[in-house]
Amino acid sequence: MAELANSSHNDGALRGAALGDDPHGEYHSGLDNTDESDFDEEPYGSDESANLSWIAWFCSLKGHEYFCEVPEDFIEDEFNLTGLSQSVNYYVEALDMILDIEDDNEEPLDADEIEAIDGSAEILYGLIHARYILTRNGLHQMADKHENGDFGVCPRYCCEGTYVVPCARTDVPERDSVKLFCP
């Protein structure tokens, strides 16, 4: 198998290599070098994206092509989330953001807290996605994306446009980026 490093998708998509914290305690989303024009959709909360769920919006962002939409019933099943609360800061708030649950009794959050929760939601969704794609339905969704060529093609001449397969070497956030393999 030939390994192709994918430098444009350094955000750990497929989230076997999900987003996370660096050893110095700083959060890096992997989207540091993007600007607002790099997104396929309007920012979350705008009029045009108001009808999108957080999951649909997140998966539609540029650089998130390797994600499939995880059904909310999978996310709501606590068994599927076992152990994730210790891995993600602001776990409850991030889960509520992913599931579009708004608590009217909450105090308003400042911009720094919202940014931290948003980052935690990205990490949490990546970790949930990594678990989901190991299920029967998740494997089918990823197989469909592969068959449609959503992950791209091998650039080598002899491969004649063979569809590549994304693969993560680890499930530890920010440890390594997703690699593309030509089968």
Side-chain angles (χ1 to χ4, degrees):
M1 250 188 238
E3 178 181 339
L4 303 172
N6 187 352
S7 61
S8 68
H9 291 84
N10 193 14
D11 64 341
L14 221 195
R15 297 322 204 235
L19 304 174
D21 295 324
D22 75 0
H24 305 293
E26 294 184 45
Y27 171 74
H28 298 283
S29 70
L31 298 174
D32 295 337
N33 296 327
T34 60
D35 59 19
E36 201 63 35
S37 65
D38 289 338
F39 296 109
D40 293 337
E41 297 292 331
E42 294 294 318
Y44 190 66
S46 71
D47 293 338
E48 291 183 23
S49 66
N51 57 349
L52 287 177
S53 69
W54 187 93
I55 296 169
W57 168 80
F58 182 75
C59 292
S60 70
L61 295 176
K62 184 175 182 178
H64 293 189
E65 294 85 8
Y66 300 154
F67 283 110
C68 63
E69 291 188 26
V70 178
E72 288 187 10
D73 61 335
F74 181 88
I75 298 171
E76 291 170 347
D77 185 348
E78 290 183 26
F79 178 77
N80 297 325
L81 306 179
T82 302
L84 295 182
S85 61
Q86 291 83 25
S87 302
V88 178
N89 297 328
Y90 297 103
Y91 172 80
V92 173
E93 295 85 352
L95 187 60
D96 287 349
M97 180 179 281
I98 291 169
L99 294 173
D100 294 318
I101 297 172
E102 294 184 21
D103 187 3
D104 296 333
N105 298 330
E106 281 187 11
E107 295 178 18
L109 301 172
D110 65 19
D112 291 336
E113 288 176 313
I114 292 171
E115 186 176 332
I117 292 169
D118 188 48
S120 293
E122 290 181 18
I123 295 166
L124 181 59
Y125 186 77
L127 294 170
I128 292 168
H129 181 268
R131 292 181 179 192
Y132 175 70
I133 62 172
L134 298 176
T135 66
R136 181 182 190 98
N137 291 336
L139 286 170
H140 283 293
Q141 281 186 345
M142 294 303 280
D144 288 344
K145 288 179 77 89
H146 177 262
E147 290 169 0
N148 293 335
D150 293 347
F151 304 130
V153 296
C154 182
R156 297 183 309 160
Y157 175 77
C158 293
C159 293
E160 298 176 354
T162 302
Y163 294 144
V164 293
V165 179
C167 183
R169 296 181 182 192
T170 180
D171 60 354
V172 177
E174 287 290 310
R175 177 69 52 91
D176 197 7
S177 63
V178 169
K179 306 295 182 200
L180 295 174
F181 291 95
C182 179

